[in-house]
């Protein structure tokens, strides 16, 4: 999946995101946004392997993840991480809200 467009689903903690995955609160085509995971906001910039593994394990094929957290070489799927400026310091990722789409087409 090299290009993706879809509605944002914003989660402010990894636990909230994992709960939504477990309860079916994520739909194919969503762009999952996990701000406040950067070096200052988390703090410490935690590894985002658990959310990516949970999305993959739940069988999602067309769900993208956008975060200011970090990824290791083990991360799989359509993910964008290390977004700067991070949300904690006023970065744009912190302004994203549920259902909002960039120019009406989703985030890509």
């Amino acid at each position: 999946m090299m290009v993706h467009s879809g509605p944002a689903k914003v989660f402010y903690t990894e636990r909230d995101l994992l709960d939504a995955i477990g309860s079916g609160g994520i739909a194919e085509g969503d762009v999952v946004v996990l701000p406040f995971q950067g070096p200052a906001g988390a703090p410490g910039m935690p590894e985002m392997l658990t959310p990516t593994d949970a999305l993959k394990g739940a069988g999602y094929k067309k769900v993208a993840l956008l975060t200011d957290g970090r990824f290791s070489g083990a991360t799989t799927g359509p993910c964008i991480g290390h977004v700067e400026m991070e949300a904690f310091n006023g970065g744009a990722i912190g302004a994203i809200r549920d259902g909002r789409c960039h120019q009406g087409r989703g985030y890509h």
Side-chain angles (χ1 to χ4, degrees):
M1 194 169 81
M2 299 301 289
V3 176
H4 180 73
S5 207
K9 292 260 179 97
V10 182
F11 300 92
Y12 294 99
T13 68
E14 185 177 288
R15 178 79 260 154
D16 288 344
L17 171 55
L18 296 175
D19 288 347
I21 293 168
S23 69
I26 307 293
E28 287 288 359
D30 285 346
V31 176
V32 174
V33 182
L34 188 57
F36 296 98
Q37 303 303 304
M45 202 171 201
E47 165 64 49
M48 296 286 101
L49 181 59
T50 300
T52 60
D53 274 356
L55 287 166
K56 184 177 180 179
Y60 292 107
K61 303 281 187 229
K62 294 187 178 189
V63 172
L65 174 63
L66 177 65
T67 183
D68 49 10
R70 70 180 174 89
F71 295 120
S72 70
T75 298
T76 62
C79 304
I80 298 173
H82 301 259
V83 172
E84 286 295 330
M85 183 161 45
E86 68 176 284
F88 183 83
N89 293 325
I93 190 173
I96 301 171
R97 299 293 179 257
D98 282 351
R100 299 293 180 185
C101 295
H102 172 72
Q103 297 177 359
R105 296 187 312 261
Y107 291 95
H108 4 251

